[in-house]
């Protein structure tokens, strides 16, 4: 009997294991998990609801959500896409629903539904779960793999799928480097910006539906919802920036200037013209009473205060200096960022197994026979919104199919 050992009992590992076991019933499939529980991240993901995938049905749009691995996922999505994820779960009684921002969750709003489904599949196809198995060495002798665990146990396998997730430190990859693979240095992605001591933090809880955030000195910019927190800024625009800027921001030790345009439909000039018109239109009204841009009232009052515009001033009496400052703050307010905070809902590691060394059509190593990779261990990561799980499902499924085919099963 041929044997597949999947290293790591997370989303990618389970998807590989259950699909391989289903496609090739004669294959012995073992999941070796370092911890005492499987599917831990699935459990906590999406605030306990599991954001399984994203309602994005165009590959060309989808690949733009992966700051690292764009070309790799482009190939992979031809084999298993978001639509396939939705169907795969639906065929097993798990219906997904779409939220207005495109994120997809189980209709139960519980990640346990996804866990139960994967565990049921594992049980149905006889996948063996071995907990507390921390792989320390992986090497090949003859035409089999030797998998050595920290507890001294050793097992052999014909096929190995490494699905051990993202490692935050380069040294944690040492056991994998021995397979001949090289590693893109890991750095965190999906974090929020710290702005210690900045008065904006007094507005914690205020959110703006659409702001444009730029990182000065780079080409990085993102438009979208922005949330002010007690330590700085968060929200989709910031998280996406953190993902696209993961490497450059790490290189600068997370010290940079973020520039916010609170009204991205305007630039400095169009705003200047508009304020000029508003002085006449709203002449008799007090500026702090009348917020003509639909910004949250607390933010509007803060921007007036920062512009040195007094509380009771009327639009007609707006001094030129105040007007200039307000235009500047509305269109390009600068914030000194010092440090980052991990986003509690979803964070990932950028970096991992170098993609040139893995075939995106099979997830098979180009360097070692019978060795496959799936999930976050690869140098692929997406922005928030279900894109990281989609990559886990896609790569796990492709690896399963390639392993089943190599072992002589059906594709
Ligand atoms: C709090 C949080 C919430 C998230 N929410 C979402 C979300 O809603 N939607 C989304 O798309 N993404 C989300 N993500 C990201 C997503 O969870 C990951 O991208 C995804 O889980 C990666 O799956 P994986 O199977 O590759 O790795 P993991 O889920 O990390 O699983 C890897 C497994 O391998 C085990 N392992 C590691 N080393 C060894 C070893 N040497 N031997 C044996 N076992 C080992 C680990 O213990 C772990 O169980 C979230 C992440 C976090 C941290």
């Amino acid at each position: 009997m041929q044997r597949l050992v999947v290293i790591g009992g997370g989303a990618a590992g389970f998807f590989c294991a259950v699909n391989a076991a289903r496609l090739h019933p004669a294959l012995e499939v073992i999941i070796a998990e370092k911890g005492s529980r499987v599917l831990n991240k699935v459990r906590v993901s999406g605030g306990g609801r599991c954001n399984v995938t994203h309602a994005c049905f165009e590959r060309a749009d989808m690949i733009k959500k992966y700051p690292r691995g764009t070309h790799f996922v482009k190939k992979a999505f031809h084999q298993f896409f978001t639509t396939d994820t939705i169907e795969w779960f639906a065929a097993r009684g798990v219906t997904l629903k779409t939220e207005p921002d495109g994120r997809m969750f189980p209709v139960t709003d519980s990640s346990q539904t996804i866990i139960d489904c994967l565990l049921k599949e594992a049980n149905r196809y006889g996948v063996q779960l071995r907990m507390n198995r921390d792989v320390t060495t992986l090497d090949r002798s003859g035409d089999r793999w030797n998998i050595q665990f920290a507890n001294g146990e050793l097992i052999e396998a014909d096929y190995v799928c490494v699905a051990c997730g993202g490692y935050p430190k380069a040294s944690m990859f040492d056991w994998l480097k021995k397979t001949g693979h090289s590693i893109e240095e890991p750095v965190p992605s999906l974090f929020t910006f710290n702005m210690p001591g900045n008065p904006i933090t007094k507005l914690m809880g205020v959110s703006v539906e659409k702001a444009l955030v730029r990182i000065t000195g780079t080409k990085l910019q993102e438009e979208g919802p922005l949330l002010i927190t007690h330590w700085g800024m968060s929200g989709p625009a910031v998280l996406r920036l953190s993902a696209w800027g993961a490497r450059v921001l790490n290189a600068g030790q997370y010290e940079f200037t973020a520039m916010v345009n609170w009204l991205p439909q305007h630039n400095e000039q169009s705003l200047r013209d508009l304020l000029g018109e508003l002085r006449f239109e709203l002449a008799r009204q007090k500026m702090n009473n009348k917020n003509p841009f639909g910004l949250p009232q607390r933010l509007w009052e803060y921007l007036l205060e920062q512009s040195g515009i007094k509380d009771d001033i009327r639009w007609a009496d707006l001094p030129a200096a105040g007007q200039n400052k307000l235009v500047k703050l509305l269109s390009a307010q600068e914030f000194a960022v010092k440090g980052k905070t991990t986003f509690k809902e979803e964070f990932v590691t950028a970096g991992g197994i170098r993609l040139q060394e893995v075939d995106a059509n099979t997830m098979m190593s180009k360097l070692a026979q019978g060795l496959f990779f799936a999930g976050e261990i690869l140098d692929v990561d997406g922005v928030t919104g279900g894109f990281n799980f989609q990559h886990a499902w896609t790569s796990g499924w492709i690896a399963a199919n390639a392993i089943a085919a190599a072992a002589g099963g059906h594709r």
Side-chain angles (χ1 to χ4, degrees):
M1 188 186 245
Q2 297 188 83
R3 179 188 286 160
L4 160 66
V5 171
V6 177
I7 303 175
F14 259 79
F15 222 61
C16 174
V18 299
N19 282 304
R22 176 177 54 86
L23 292 165
H24 195 322
L27 188 67
E28 185 187 15
V29 181
I30 298 171
I31 295 179
E33 165 56 47
K34 155 167 108 173
S36 52
R37 283 175 107 177
V38 288
L39 297 166
N40 257 337
K41 279 200 193 165
V42 172
R43 183 171 292 107
V44 298
S45 66
R49 297 197 299 144
C50 190
N51 177 193
V52 177
T53 184
H54 201 93
C56 180
F57 306 119
E58 294 296 331
R59 286 178 187 85
D61 295 334
M62 189 75 179
I63 61 169
K64 290 185 194 144
K65 308 296 182 185
Y66 294 85
R68 280 140 302 262
T70 315
H71 297 297
F72 191 84
V73 294
K74 187 176 177 187
K75 285 188 198 152
F77 286 152
H78 278 287
Q79 293 202 49
F80 195 86
F81 196 41
T82 49
T83 40
D84 300 306
T85 303
I86 297 164
E87 274 172 31
W88 193 94
F89 280 105
R92 286 149 186 91
V94 177
T95 310
L96 303 181
K97 59 167 178 175
T98 308
E99 306 232 312
D101 60 5
R103 291 180 303 159
M104 297 192 76
F105 295 89
V107 287
T108 56
D109 272 332
S110 168
S111 55
Q112 194 60 45
T113 306
I114 302 298
I115 295 174
D116 290 345
C117 172
L118 292 171
L119 287 175
K120 201 169 151 196
E121 282 292 292
N123 195 29
R124 184 171 169 192
Y125 295 108
V127 173
Q128 301 170 43
L129 302 184
R130 305 220 182 140
M131 314 295 184
N132 303 309
R133 300 296 199 288
D134 183 1
V135 176
T136 53
T137 315
L138 180 61
D139 55 24
R140 198 165 165 84
S141 66
D143 55 1
R144 298 201 94 194
W145 286 95
N146 292 324
I147 301 138
Q148 175 82 54
F149 299 106
N151 66 3
E153 194 187 329
L154 180 116
I155 52 175
E156 289 186 0
D158 303 276
Y159 306 96
V160 172
C161 179
V162 178
C164 58
Y167 285 152
K169 287 195 202 124
S171 60
M172 295 171 83
F173 288 91
D174 284 351
W175 65 275
L176 276 169
K177 280 193 201 146
K178 290 184 187 139
T179 61
H181 278 274
S182 32
I183 309 296
E184 293 291 349
E185 179 83 9
V187 295
S189 182
L190 301 180
F191 48 83
T192 69
F193 298 168
N194 294 358
M195 301 171 175
N198 194 300
I200 191 88
T201 55
K202 290 198 194 104
L203 305 188
M204 62 182 166
V206 168
S207 63
V208 175
E209 240 172 75
K210 203 167 166 195
L212 175 73
V213 190
R214 288 199 176 101
I215 293 174
T216 59
T218 73
K219 288 187 177 155
L220 297 167
Q221 63 171 57
E222 280 292 327
E223 196 174 298
L226 186 150
L227 172 70
I228 299 166
T229 65
H230 68 270
W231 65 89
M233 287 180 186
S234 178
V238 166
L239 292 165
R240 286 202 292 266
L241 263 184
S242 79
W244 287 102
R247 290 216 175 272
V248 62
L249 299 182
N250 177 268
Q253 309 230 313
Y254 306 103
E255 284 203 22
F256 56 94
T257 303
M259 197 187 267
V260 178
N261 180 344
W262 298 102
L263 300 169
Q265 66 277 31
H266 288 289
N267 58 30
E268 196 171 324
Q269 189 52 50
S270 70
L271 210 60
R272 200 172 293 286
D273 297 344
L274 184 61
L275 280 187
E277 288 165 24
L278 289 171
R279 284 172 69 113
F280 287 103
E281 275 172 34
L282 306 173
R284 294 166 66 82
Q285 304 195 32
K286 284 190 180 162
M287 286 191 75
N288 62 346
N289 283 350
K290 185 69 194 174
N291 161 12
F293 303 113
L295 289 171
Q297 185 62 17
R298 282 173 67 201
L299 176 63
W300 176 241
E301 286 168 12
Y302 155 86
L303 290 166
L304 292 178
E305 186 195 313
Q306 294 284 311
S307 310
I309 298 170
K310 296 214 176 68
D311 263 8
D312 53 354
I313 214 156
R314 289 173 201 280
W315 276 92
D317 305 323
L318 172 62
Q323 178 169 334
N324 283 340
K325 188 80 199 274
L326 185 59
V327 166
K328 186 80 192 152
L329 292 188
L330 280 168
S331 60
Q333 186 170 14
E334 291 190 355
F335 296 92
V337 178
K338 275 200 174 93
K340 59 169 176 46
T341 296
T342 302
F343 177 52
K344 301 276 187 311
E345 292 276 296
E346 179 178 345
F347 54 89
V348 288
T349 307
I353 296 287
R354 195 162 282 166
L355 300 179
Q356 292 91 317
E357 297 169 356
V358 180
D359 179 354
N361 297 313
T362 55
M363 297 298 147
M364 191 162 77
S365 160
K366 291 180 184 171
L367 308 180
Q369 232 192 322
L371 181 63
F372 296 76
F373 296 95
E376 213 180 304
I377 188 64
L378 288 161
D379 182 26
V380 174
D381 62 276
V383 297
T384 58
F387 301 102
N388 286 302
F389 274 140
Q390 182 55 53
H391 166 63
W393 312 131
T394 294
S395 51
W397 190 90
I398 292 176
N401 273 263
I403 293 164
H410 304 291
R411 258 182 89 101

